[in-house]
Amino acid sequence: MKNGAQSAAWALSLALLAAPVHAQPAQAGYSAAGLYNLANAYARQGKPGMAVLNYERASLLSPNDPDIDANLNYVRASSHLPAPSRSAFERMVRVASPFVLSWIGVMGLVIVGVSALAAQLASRHRWVHRLGMLLGICMLSLTVANGIALWPMLHEGVVISGAAAVRVSPVPMGDSLFVLPEAETVKIAAEHEGFLLIQTGAGRTGWVSRSNIASVVPRK
């Protein structure tokens, strides 16, 4: 997958899929557009692990972006890897970035507070106050639901090395159970002295050197 012909095919496909909004140079800072462009660069270099990692990070900031989804699916397909399964609940509530939804939650809390206070101070137009409280509760519920949907994704990692050995125990000389292919997405269950306890989409578990896995949500 790292030969010149496949890298050229990736570059051609990504160029066709990229929308004009992403065709500009990578923006400074941690942004969906910047991560998208960084992922494209890794894909063109024949580094599917780093490409998938940055597409996943971009997708967290910009859910349901068709360009990010298309390129992410293409790189996974080129690596012969299935896409991680998402529940209908996760797909339904992920309608905006976490930043936007956090502000929706704050505004919802403010609306509930103001409506409750107005209901105590004024006896007229109680239906307006109740409508305001209902709107605020709906906004809060949307934020909470999105947080619940995002929680499993906060514990996901991507294999960024060519082949990551999965071992029985968190020691360098532990018996090898199987090997993870580059760009596979796994769930991180625990960490111990430079090793991560992971679970694959097929339910297989074991310990992997931390240097082989990068968390989708960056960790300090």
Side-chain angles (χ1 to χ4, degrees):
M1 188 168 76
K2 295 184 179 180
N3 58 46
Q6 287 174 319
S7 295
W10 274 12
L12 176 60
S13 298
L14 291 168
L16 292 173
L17 288 170
V21 68
H22 297 301
Q24 55 192 326
Q27 286 80 352
Y30 196 84
S31 66
L35 291 167
Y36 174 88
N37 289 330
L38 181 60
N40 284 351
Y42 278 121
R44 294 187 183 100
Q45 295 169 19
K47 298 179 179 179
M50 293 300 296
V52 168
L53 173 66
N54 284 281
Y55 283 134
E56 287 280 19
R57 289 175 174 177
S59 182
L60 280 177
L61 298 177
S62 183
N64 306 313
D65 184 301
D67 298 323
I68 295 174
D69 289 344
N71 287 12
L72 176 57
N73 291 335
Y74 182 84
V75 173
R76 280 206 178 104
S78 299
S79 301
H80 308 290
L81 295 171
S85 60
R86 307 290 187 205
S87 67
F89 173 74
E90 290 174 330
R91 293 192 299 270
M92 178 180 66
V93 300
R94 291 203 64 211
V95 295
S97 71
F99 177 79
V100 172
L101 282 161
S102 65
W103 277 106
I104 290 177
V106 170
M107 292 303 298
L109 184 62
V110 171
I111 291 173
V112 169
V114 171
S115 298
L117 180 61
Q120 294 294 325
L121 297 178
S123 58
R124 299 179 60 185
H125 306 298
R126 289 189 178 274
W127 67 271
V128 176
H129 307 148
R130 291 172 183 171
L131 183 61
M133 290 189 68
L134 179 61
L135 175 62
I137 291 172
C138 289
M139 294 169 70
L140 280 170
S141 299
L142 177 61
T143 302
V144 171
N146 188 265
I148 294 172
L150 282 175
W151 182 254
M153 300 180 69
L154 300 181
H155 298 83
E156 289 184 348
V158 178
V159 180
I160 57 174
S161 61
V166 181
R167 304 186 184 280
V168 175
S169 55
V171 293
M173 301 306 293
D175 294 336
S176 179
L177 294 172
F178 56 95
V179 175
L180 289 172
E182 184 175 1
E184 181 167 354
T185 301
V186 297
K187 291 183 179 179
I188 301 173
E191 182 176 359
H192 179 73
E193 296 183 353
F195 280 82
L196 300 174
L197 178 61
I198 61 90
Q199 181 180 23
T200 68
R204 304 178 74 183
T205 61
W207 293 90
V208 183
S209 173
R210 184 183 179 87
S211 62
N212 294 323
I213 305 286
S215 300
V216 173
V217 177
R219 299 181 181 182
K220 293 183 180 180

